[in-house]
PDB file of all heavy atoms in Angstrom:
ATOM      1  N   PHE U 260     112.940  54.923  80.621  1.00 85.00           N
ATOM      2  CA  PHE U 260     111.857  53.942  80.582  1.00 85.00           C
ATOM      3  C   PHE U 260     112.269  52.678  79.834  1.00 85.00           C
ATOM      4  O   PHE U 260     112.096  51.562  80.317  1.00 85.00           O
ATOM      5  CB  PHE U 260     110.616  54.566  79.915  1.00 85.00           C
ATOM      6  CG  PHE U 260     109.555  53.569  79.577  1.00 85.00           C
ATOM      7  CD1 PHE U 260     108.758  53.030  80.567  1.00 85.00           C
ATOM      8  CD2 PHE U 260     109.366  53.155  78.267  1.00 85.00           C
ATOM      9  CE1 PHE U 260     107.776  52.096  80.262  1.00 85.00           C
ATOM     10  CE2 PHE U 260     108.396  52.223  77.948  1.00 85.00           C
ATOM     11  CZ  PHE U 260     107.592  51.696  78.949  1.00 85.00           C
ATOM     12  N   MET U 261     112.818  52.858  78.642  1.00 92.00           N
ATOM     13  CA  MET U 261     113.040  51.720  77.755  1.00 92.00           C
ATOM     14  C   MET U 261     114.256  50.882  78.116  1.00 92.00           C
ATOM     15  O   MET U 261     114.224  49.659  77.942  1.00 92.00           O
ATOM     16  CB  MET U 261     113.158  52.219  76.307  1.00 92.00           C
ATOM     17  CG  MET U 261     113.061  51.105  75.310  1.00 92.00           C
ATOM     18  SD  MET U 261     111.609  50.101  75.594  1.00 92.00           S
ATOM     19  CE  MET U 261     110.753  50.331  74.105  1.00 92.00           C
ATOM     20  N   ASP U 262     115.323  51.482  78.625  1.00 92.00           N
ATOM     21  CA  ASP U 262     116.532  50.716  78.947  1.00 92.00           C
ATOM     22  C   ASP U 262     116.257  49.615  79.973  1.00 92.00           C
ATOM     23  O   ASP U 262     116.564  48.447  79.727  1.00 92.00           O
ATOM     24  CB  ASP U 262     117.650  51.646  79.413  1.00 92.00           C
ATOM     25  CG  ASP U 262     118.897  50.872  79.794  1.00 92.00           C
ATOM     26  OD1 ASP U 262     119.508  50.252  78.904  1.00 92.00           O
ATOM     27  OD2 ASP U 262     119.242  50.868  80.985  1.00 92.00           O
ATOM     28  N   PRO U 263     115.659  49.940  81.139  1.00 89.00           N
ATOM     29  CA  PRO U 263     115.399  48.854  82.085  1.00 89.00           C
ATOM     30  C   PRO U 263     114.369  47.845  81.571  1.00 89.00           C
ATOM     31  O   PRO U 263     114.453  46.655  81.868  1.00 89.00           O
ATOM     32  CB  PRO U 263     114.897  49.559  83.345  1.00 89.00           C
ATOM     33  CG  PRO U 263     114.636  50.959  82.978  1.00 89.00           C
ATOM     34  CD  PRO U 263     115.322  51.252  81.690  1.00 89.00           C
ATOM     35  N   LEU U 264     113.420  48.318  80.770  1.00 91.00           N
ATOM     36  CA  LEU U 264     112.426  47.400  80.201  1.00 91.00           C
ATOM     37  C   LEU U 264     113.100  46.410  79.248  1.00 91.00           C
ATOM     38  O   LEU U 264     112.835  45.203  79.290  1.00 91.00           O
ATOM     39  CB  LEU U 264     111.329  48.182  79.473  1.00 91.00           C
ATOM     40  CG  LEU U 264     110.225  47.350  78.828  1.00 91.00           C
ATOM     41  CD1 LEU U 264     109.478  46.531  79.872  1.00 91.00           C
ATOM     42  CD2 LEU U 264     109.266  48.265  78.075  1.00 91.00           C
ATOM     43  N   ALA U 265     113.999  46.907  78.406  1.00 95.00           N
ATOM     44  CA  ALA U 265     114.722  46.035  77.473  1.00 95.00           C
ATOM     45  C   ALA U 265     115.554  45.008  78.241  1.00 95.00           C
ATOM     46  O   ALA U 265     115.591  43.826  77.869  1.00 95.00           O
ATOM     47  CB  ALA U 265     115.617  46.875  76.553  1.00 95.00           C
ATOM     48  N   ASP U 266     116.193  45.439  79.326  1.00 94.00           N
ATOM     49  CA  ASP U 266     116.977  44.516  80.153  1.00 94.00           C
ATOM     50  C   ASP U 266     116.095  43.416  80.730  1.00 94.00           C
ATOM     51  O   ASP U 266     116.437  42.230  80.678  1.00 94.00           O
ATOM     52  CB  ASP U 266     117.652  45.255  81.317  1.00 94.00           C
ATOM     53  CG  ASP U 266     118.696  46.239  80.868  1.00 94.00           C
ATOM     54  OD1 ASP U 266     119.142  46.141  79.712  1.00 94.00           O
ATOM     55  OD2 ASP U 266     119.064  47.110  81.671  1.00 94.00           O
ATOM     56  N   LYS U 267     114.962  43.823  81.284  1.00 94.00           N
ATOM     57  CA  LYS U 267     114.050  42.856  81.900  1.00 94.00           C
ATOM     58  C   LYS U 267     113.553  41.836  80.885  1.00 94.00           C
ATOM     59  O   LYS U 267     113.522  40.636  81.156  1.00 94.00           O
ATOM     60  CB  LYS U 267     112.859  43.580  82.539  1.00 94.00           C
ATOM     61  CG  LYS U 267     113.196  44.313  83.813  1.00 94.00           C
ATOM     62  CD  LYS U 267     112.006  45.137  84.268  1.00 94.00           C
ATOM     63  CE  LYS U 267     112.231  45.962  85.499  1.00 94.00           C
ATOM     64  NZ  LYS U 267     113.459  46.682  85.618  1.00 94.00           N
ATOM     65  N   VAL U 268     113.162  42.312  79.709  1.00 97.00           N
ATOM     66  CA  VAL U 268     112.633  41.398  78.693  1.00 97.00           C
ATOM     67  C   VAL U 268     113.724  40.454  78.198  1.00 97.00           C
ATOM     68  O   VAL U 268     113.483  39.255  78.022  1.00 97.00           O
ATOM     69  CB  VAL U 268     111.971  42.178  77.531  1.00 97.00           C
ATOM     70  CG1 VAL U 268     111.536  41.230  76.414  1.00 97.00           C
ATOM     71  CG2 VAL U 268     110.762  42.970  78.037  1.00 97.00           C
ATOM     72  N   LEU U 269     114.933  40.954  77.990  1.00 97.00           N
ATOM     73  CA  LEU U 269     116.042  40.104  77.556  1.00 97.00           C
ATOM     74  C   LEU U 269     116.314  39.005  78.582  1.00 97.00           C
ATOM     75  O   LEU U 269     116.373  37.814  78.247  1.00 97.00           O
ATOM     76  CB  LEU U 269     117.308  40.940  77.335  1.00 97.00           C
ATOM     77  CG  LEU U 269     118.585  40.149  77.007  1.00 97.00           C
ATOM     78  CD1 LEU U 269     118.456  39.435  75.663  1.00 97.00           C
ATOM     79  CD2 LEU U 269     119.797  41.071  77.028  1.00 97.00           C
ATOM     80  N   VAL U 270     116.463  39.384  79.829  1.00 97.00           N
ATOM     81  CA  VAL U 270     116.779  38.434  80.889  1.00 97.00           C
ATOM     82  C   VAL U 270     115.630  37.445  81.100  1.00 97.00           C
ATOM     83  O   VAL U 270     115.850  36.234  81.221  1.00 97.00           O
ATOM     84  CB  VAL U 270     117.130  39.202  82.187  1.00 97.00           C
ATOM     85  CG1 VAL U 270     117.096  38.307  83.397  1.00 97.00           C
ATOM     86  CG2 VAL U 270     118.496  39.865  82.043  1.00 97.00           C
ATOM     87  N   MET U 271     114.408  37.938  81.133  1.00 97.00           N
ATOM     88  CA  MET U 271     113.252  37.053  81.328  1.00 97.00           C
ATOM     89  C   MET U 271     113.111  36.060  80.174  1.00 97.00           C
ATOM     90  O   MET U 271     112.755  34.904  80.390  1.00 97.00           O
ATOM     91  CB  MET U 271     111.963  37.856  81.466  1.00 97.00           C
ATOM     92  CG  MET U 271     111.879  38.669  82.705  1.00 97.00           C
ATOM     93  SD  MET U 271     111.831  37.631  84.160  1.00 97.00           S
ATOM     94  CE  MET U 271     112.013  38.860  85.395  1.00 97.00           C
ATOM     95  N   THR U 272     113.400  36.522  78.969  1.00 98.00           N
ATOM     96  CA  THR U 272     113.323  35.627  77.812  1.00 98.00           C
ATOM     97  C   THR U 272     114.285  34.457  77.988  1.00 98.00           C
ATOM     98  O   THR U 272     113.906  33.293  77.806  1.00 98.00           O
ATOM     99  CB  THR U 272     113.636  36.395  76.508  1.00 98.00           C
ATOM    100  OG1 THR U 272     112.663  37.431  76.346  1.00 98.00           O
ATOM    101  CG2 THR U 272     113.602  35.480  75.300  1.00 98.00           C
ATOM    102  N   ALA U 273     115.516  34.748  78.361  1.00 98.00           N
ATOM    103  CA  ALA U 273     116.500  33.681  78.568  1.00 98.00           C
ATOM    104  C   ALA U 273     116.074  32.766  79.713  1.00 98.00           C
ATOM    105  O   ALA U 273     116.146  31.535  79.593  1.00 98.00           O
ATOM    106  CB  ALA U 273     117.882  34.274  78.834  1.00 98.00           C
ATOM    107  N   MET U 274     115.617  33.349  80.814  1.00 98.00           N
ATOM    108  CA  MET U 274     115.214  32.526  81.954  1.00 98.00           C
ATOM    109  C   MET U 274     114.041  31.614  81.612  1.00 98.00           C
ATOM    110  O   MET U 274     114.003  30.454  82.028  1.00 98.00           O
ATOM    111  CB  MET U 274     114.858  33.412  83.151  1.00 98.00           C
ATOM    112  CG  MET U 274     116.035  34.022  83.822  1.00 98.00           C
ATOM    113  SD  MET U 274     115.467  34.966  85.256  1.00 98.00           S
ATOM    114  CE  MET U 274     116.957  35.829  85.674  1.00 98.00           C
ATOM    115  N   ILE U 275     113.091  32.131  80.868  1.00 98.00           N
ATOM    116  CA  ILE U 275     111.940  31.314  80.472  1.00 98.00           C
ATOM    117  C   ILE U 275     112.396  30.168  79.576  1.00 98.00           C
ATOM    118  O   ILE U 275     111.925  29.033  79.722  1.00 98.00           O
ATOM    119  CB  ILE U 275     110.853  32.190  79.794  1.00 98.00           C
ATOM    120  CG1 ILE U 275     110.204  33.098  80.843  1.00 98.00           C
ATOM    121  CG2 ILE U 275     109.814  31.324  79.092  1.00 98.00           C
ATOM    122  CD1 ILE U 275     109.348  34.216  80.269  1.00 98.00           C
TER     123      ILE U 275
END
Side-chain angles (χ1 to χ4, degrees):
F260 168 75
M261 194 52 118
D262 178 66
L264 180 61
D266 294 343
K267 287 173 182 43
V268 175
L269 174 65
V270 164
M271 292 295 171
T272 299
M274 286 183 191
I275 290 167

